[in-house]
């Protein structure tokens, strides 16, 4: 796992954007995996800037979302599809029709989840998956106890996750749905490159679990340790509990030229 520790949280977005830009330069029709939450906002903003500057085009790219709430009306501003439209589609030139997400309103959820897995497969799989991490170490909405081999499915949300996300729902936990549909850990692990972003003290425990903790269903982000190409881009605060932080810094700063993006 490559751990990139940034001296300022504002550096996370541009560094992550370099990975996306590098992929698109060799594969303009790449398949991206996009995440919601506050962690990828700096990345999406930076991608928007690069598109506006003519340095990057996502016009031929496609994207698949990680997860979606169940039970929010189609026009709800906090539906993840709406979030991705607002923060990723609008600032870049990716066509809205090239962005896909799990159907949180499907009548036959099992069939819809299987169809979503099939759509990712048919697109050739995900080249680069952007991830955030929950305070309990979850990736997408794979809460503690999720099988590390899980696929896209319906999940119940933990009280802590609903509390964390209440800030997007007028600070009212009662408005936060109890259920979601999420890519499984097994689905996520099939992406060719995983790029996880996190900042702040509140994420330090989760990052410790992701990078140095035992691989465990209790912290589904720790499954990144099983992936051959995972990059974790964090700030000093999120890195504050890492035992080997100085080694990760050294390894990143002394990365051979041919591995740099
Ligand atoms: C939600 C999303 C996750 C995201 C997490 C962290 O639970 N389903 O994909 O990683 O929030 O969000 P934030 O980046 O706002 O801390």
């Amino acid at each position: 796992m490559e751990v990139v520790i940034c001296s300022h949280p504002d550096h996370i977005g541009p560094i992550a954007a370099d990975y996306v830009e590098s992929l698109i330069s060799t594969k303009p029709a790449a398949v991206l995996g996009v995440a919601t939450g506050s962690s990828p906002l700096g990345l999406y903003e930076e991608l928007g800037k690069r598109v506006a500057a003519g340095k990057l085009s996502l016009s031929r790219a496609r994207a698949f979302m990680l997860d979606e709430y169940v039970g929010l009306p189609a026009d709800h501003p906090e539906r993840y599809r709406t979030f991705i439209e607002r923060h990723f589609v609008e600032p870049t030139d990716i066509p809205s029709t090239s962005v896909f997400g799990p159907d949180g309103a499907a009548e036959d959820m099992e069939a819809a989840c299987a169809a979503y897995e099939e759509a990712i497969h048919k697109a050739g799989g995900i080249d680069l998956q952007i991830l955030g991490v929950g305070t309990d170490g979850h990736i997408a909405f794979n809460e503690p106890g999720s099988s590390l081999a899980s696929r896209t499915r319906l999940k119940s949300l933990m009280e802590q996750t609903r509390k964390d996300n209440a800030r997007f729902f007028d600070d009212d936990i009662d408005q936060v749905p109890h259920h979601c549909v999420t890519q499984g850990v097994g689905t996520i692990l099939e992406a060719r490159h995983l790029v996880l972003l996190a900042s702040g003290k509140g994420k330090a425990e989760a990052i410790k679990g992701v990078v140095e903790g035992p691989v465990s269903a209790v912290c589904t982000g720790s499954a990144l340790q099983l992936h051959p190409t995972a990059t974790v881009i964090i700030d000093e605060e999120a890195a504050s509990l890492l035992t080997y932080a100085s080694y990760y810094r050294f390894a990143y700063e002394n990365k051979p030229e041919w591995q740099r993006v």
Side-chain angles (χ1 to χ4, degrees):
M1 190 185 296
E2 176 176 54
V3 183
V4 184
I5 303 174
C6 305
S7 55
H8 194 281
D10 288 354
H11 300 166
I12 296 173
I15 291 175
D18 288 346
Y19 285 92
V20 175
E21 191 179 322
S22 163
L23 168 67
I24 296 291
S25 70
T26 57
K27 192 174 179 185
V31 181
L32 300 173
V34 286
T36 56
S38 49
S39 305
L41 289 179
L43 163 63
Y44 298 151
E45 196 185 318
E46 182 65 23
L47 292 177
K49 279 186 195 158
R50 293 184 192 189
V51 167
K55 281 183 71 190
L56 170 74
S57 175
L58 300 180
S59 61
R60 292 180 55 202
R62 278 162 298 167
F64 285 86
M65 294 165 49
L66 280 172
D67 44 15
E68 182 58 274
Y69 287 117
V70 166
L72 290 184
D75 59 349
H76 196 287
E78 293 309 328
R79 257 182 86 224
Y80 278 176
R81 174 73 208 201
T82 318
F83 177 102
I84 288 294
E85 285 289 335
R86 190 164 66 228
H87 294 291
F88 174 65
V89 176
E90 277 171 29
T92 68
D93 59 347
I94 192 163
S96 179
T97 48
S98 301
V99 180
F100 310 92
D103 184 357
E107 275 189 17
D108 183 345
M109 195 49 92
E110 216 173 311
C113 290
Y116 193 60
E117 290 271 340
E118 183 58 20
I120 294 173
H121 181 71
K122 274 204 179 131
I126 289 166
D127 290 299
L128 187 153
Q129 175 65 59
I130 298 148
L131 295 165
V133 65
T135 52
D136 59 13
H138 72 238
I139 48 172
F141 266 138
N142 292 286
E143 297 282 35
S146 295
S147 161
L148 300 184
S150 49
R151 314 299 308 188
T152 303
R153 70 219 182 285
L154 183 76
K155 278 296 284 181
S156 304
L157 295 175
M158 295 256 299
E159 184 77 357
Q160 182 60 50
T161 301
R162 294 181 59 246
K163 264 188 205 151
D164 289 345
N165 290 355
R167 66 189 194 278
F168 301 113
F169 291 83
D170 307 322
D171 278 325
D172 177 9
I173 189 169
D174 293 335
Q175 289 184 39
V176 185
H178 284 270
H179 295 98
C180 66
V181 50
T182 179
Q183 282 188 33
V185 182
T187 319
I188 294 169
L189 288 177
E190 282 172 6
R192 287 179 273 277
H193 186 187
L194 303 180
V195 179
L196 184 143
L197 317 173
S199 61
K201 265 220 141 18
K203 292 292 171 72
E205 197 81 50
I207 288 298
K208 171 80 179 164
V210 167
V211 179
E212 295 179 342
V215 175
S216 160
V218 168
C219 171
T220 53
S222 66
L224 264 71
Q225 295 172 34
L226 300 170
H227 196 284
T229 317
T231 305
V232 172
I233 311 174
I234 49 182
D235 69 348
E236 297 282 352
E237 286 191 351
S240 59
L241 296 177
L242 293 176
T243 304
Y244 298 102
S246 56
Y247 169 67
Y248 307 139
R249 263 191 211 99
F250 174 84
Y252 180 65
E253 279 158 20
N254 292 281
K255 196 156 115 167
E257 198 55 48
W258 61 271
Q259 277 187 340
R260 294 185 180 274
V261 293

